[in-house]
Amino acid sequence: MRALTWQGKHDVRVETVPDPQIVNPRDAIIRITSTAICGSDLHLYDHVIPRMKSGDVLGHEFMGEVVEVGSGNSKLKVGQRVVVPFVIACGDCFFCQKQLYSCCDNSNPAEKQDV
């Protein structure tokens, strides 16, 4: 697939990257139909986020169509149209139950971060 990739400070390129895969049972793969630039993308572009690596795919606010869902995803169906906001949250953890979605324990679990 084609994607916008970060190559270094002030250097982004559209490149061919591997197709996404279901990794977690809650995952969904979305065929993007529309997208926009978020103000936080400028932090990536300016390399304010030090963990960026050459080739990282950019973009996190978009609309599209569900093309595949993991076995643990009962909320989304193939063919459904979705809007994905900047905050991605599981909806079930302590923080999500308190409607503190940006603090979600499961969307970016600490044990998966490279320290």
Side-chain angles (χ1 to χ4, degrees), residues 15-57:
E15 296 188 327
T16 299
V17 299
D19 287 344
Q21 296 180 1
I22 300 292
V23 176
N24 183 293
R26 297 184 319 266
D27 286 351
I29 297 176
I30 313 297
R31 182 180 55 84
I32 297 172
T33 57
S34 299
T35 189
I37 294 173
C38 173
S40 63
D41 291 325
L42 296 175
H43 299 306
L44 303 174
Y45 183 72
D46 289 332
H47 200 224
V48 175
I49 309 299
R51 296 199 188 265
M52 292 296 294
K53 297 179 189 137
S54 181
D56 282 353
V57 174

